[in-house]
Amino acid sequence: MKNRVVELFNIRFPLIQAGMIWCSGWKLASSVSNAGGLGIIGSGSMYPDVLDKQIIKCKKATPKPFAVNIPMLYPDIEKHIETIIKHKVPVVFTSAGNPKTWTDFLKREGIIVVHVVSSVKFALKAQEAGVDAIVAEGFEAGGHNGRDETTTMCLIPRVAKEINIPLIAAGGIGTGRAMLAAMNLGADGVQIGSRFVASHESSAHESFKQLVIGANEGDTLLTLKELTPVRMLKNEFFRSIERAYEKNASSEELKQILGRGRAKKGMFEGDLEQGELEIGQVASLINEIKPAAEIVSEILKEYELARAEQASVKFTFS
Ligand code: NDP
Ligand code: NDP
């Protein structure tokens, strides 16, 4: 496969594994990169010394390019940037913040910069800031999400029309058929998160992985729009937020319910009732925990099969 995303990152397939807090450490990132995609270390949940060690291990585990995702809300962002430069990490994905803040600086260091957005407006802002590519992520996605509820189906064609740099589609993509659909809508590649949570190499807690593979349609919802909108599985913590909404809770009260470290508690420590369990709608299509390399090859095989099927269907217009 040759296209703009493959060429930009120097990878074999335009398949990127999303940086996910508590789920994507060096084991997952290096496995996806070794399989021909682009693996990403999710640094939002790592203290600076942890990120340092994770990058060293990732470099040992793969000779291939990999990336680090930094949510711009991260409190010690300067330290993460220093670490990334020190280790000459080739690609950085930034998210949840203004792309103007770090893009120039990172690019002067020779780093490829990609920014994650949820709307055409932010895509244009990121392009103007000089990023090399954009991830446009739709409403179906797990974890932090846009406020406008724009689905991947509606977001991708619009962003594709407005920008001229490579476009990576995200949100609701976990299969080869979905990858083909996203490419048909105008994307040059896809970013996949949830499917890789249920991989052997993900650092998510085993109980969380089991819950993900058992999830059904309708089991996740986007909530906490007043704070940072986030899609999660419905559990006791989620229901406590719902009860607060019923009582017209203020943002301050919601913040108190959220507390600190909920994501770690749920996804890393396996507290399935009191923790925050971030996963996308696509969880209902995931039924098995597998090695990451197998997930990559299955997606690509299904993509090729679906593409061949599509090519054989012809409509006659009179
Ligand atoms: P290792 O696999 O050697 O793990 C190092 C330690 O982290 C071990 O004590 C291990 O516990 C523990 N650990 C790893 N995964 C989990 C998990 N899912 N739930 C609970 N404990 C876990 O090295 P790594 O390179 O994977 O980890 C190095 C450091 O980075 C650790 O501090 C780890 O916690 C942290 N990490 C952080 C991530 C994040 O998103 N913030 C992601 C991955 C790792 P045990 O041996 O009992 O399994
Ligand atoms: P909280 O404020 O609830 O908790 C902070 C968590 O991050 C704790 O578990 C803490 O670990 C850990 N942590 C790692 N490094 C630091 C640091 N330098 N300072 C303080 N805490 C640190 O935040 P969340 O768990 O909701 O989010 C953590 C990060 O992940 C944020 O940067 C957030 O923007 C990002 N995020 C990104 C998402 C995405 O979709 N991209 C989704 C959700 C969050 P410990 O308990 O060991 O102290």
Side-chain angles (χ1 to χ4, degrees):
M1 271 190 207
K2 274 263 168 278
N3 76 4
R4 295 196 292 176
V5 162
V6 164
E7 277 160 18
L8 177 65
F9 300 133
N10 191 23
I11 53 178
R12 286 182 67 201
F13 313 112
L15 194 164
I16 291 123
Q17 162 254 310
M20 300 169 287
I21 58 161
W22 299 117
C23 300
S24 61
W26 67 274
K27 281 180 193 155
L28 179 57
S30 59
S31 304
V32 173
S33 287
N34 280 333
L38 185 75
I40 305 187
I41 295 175
S43 75
S45 49
M46 295 175 183
Y47 283 93
D49 61 315
V50 173
L51 177 63
D52 190 66
K53 289 187 194 113
Q54 293 273 327
I55 294 175
I56 292 170
K57 288 183 183 176
C58 200
K59 280 184 137 178
K60 278 200 185 131
T62 182
K64 306 273 171 61
F66 67 92
V68 172
N69 168 247
I70 317 181
M72 299 189 73
L73 306 164
Y74 182 77
D76 270 335
I77 191 160
E78 285 85 0
K79 286 201 187 130
H80 269 10
I81 303 260
E82 248 174 56
T83 308
I84 282 162
I85 291 170
K86 180 177 87 179
H87 290 295
K88 299 192 175 5
V89 173
V91 188
V92 166
F93 280 50
T94 52
S95 55
N98 188 342
K100 288 207 171 102
T101 323
W102 287 103
T103 301
D104 264 354
F105 183 82
L106 291 166
K107 286 193 62 108
R108 276 201 298 277
E109 295 290 333
I111 295 170
I112 297 166
V113 183
V114 183
H115 193 66
V116 185
V117 301
S118 56
S119 67
V120 172
K121 186 177 141 197
F122 291 156
L124 288 169
K125 202 168 155 186
Q127 178 172 263
E128 203 188 301
V131 301
D132 297 286
I134 281 167
V135 175
E137 186 181 71
F139 179 60
E140 299 92 324
H144 285 186
N145 207 311
R147 284 192 170 75
D148 296 338
E149 308 198 353
T150 310
T151 59
T152 304
M153 192 81 153
C154 295
L155 180 65
I156 301 307
R158 285 222 48 214
V159 177
K161 211 166 139 191
E162 299 283 343
I163 63 165
N164 48 39
I165 55 177
L167 170 62
I168 298 156
I173 305 167
T175 64
R177 286 183 188 279
M179 178 174 174
L180 180 63
M183 309 276 274
N184 281 342
L185 292 173
D188 302 286
V190 291
Q191 178 177 278
I192 295 177
S194 300
R195 177 57 275 205
F196 287 111
V197 168
S199 68
H200 289 171
E201 295 86 350
S202 119
S203 54
H205 194 279
E206 186 59 26
S207 313
F208 176 45
K209 292 185 193 179
Q210 291 294 339
L211 201 65
V212 168
I213 61 171
N216 275 318
E217 186 190 289
D219 281 356
T220 73
L221 219 66
L222 185 83
T223 187
L224 293 177
K225 279 194 180 177
E226 295 78 358
L227 309 179
T228 313
V230 57
R231 178 178 298 286
M232 61 174 89
L233 282 166
K234 296 173 186 168
N235 61 357
E236 181 47 34
F237 165 56
F238 175 85
R239 285 188 290 278
S240 67
I241 300 169
E242 277 197 318
R243 287 195 292 272
Y245 276 119
E246 277 162 22
K247 290 185 189 149
N248 296 318
S250 64
S251 297
E252 210 34 62
E253 285 166 318
L254 290 171
K255 236 184 239 170
Q256 268 174 23
I257 293 169
L258 175 62
R260 187 176 169 280
R262 284 272 185 189
K264 179 184 185 185
K265 190 183 266 203
M267 300 190 285
F268 201 62
E269 296 173 348
D271 185 336
L272 302 184
E273 285 307 333
Q274 296 304 328
E276 182 175 307
L277 305 173
E278 299 173 13
I279 203 78
Q281 287 185 343
V282 76
S284 68
L285 285 172
I286 303 168
N287 305 312
E288 215 184 320
I289 301 165
K290 292 181 179 178
E294 212 173 298
I295 294 174
V296 171
S297 79
E298 264 183 22
I299 291 173
L300 294 168
K301 274 187 201 142
E302 192 186 281
Y303 169 89
E304 281 303 337
L305 191 77
R307 213 162 68 102
E309 274 174 22
Q310 202 174 60
S312 70
V313 177
K314 299 234 172 5
F315 298 109
T316 314
F317 300 100
S318 51

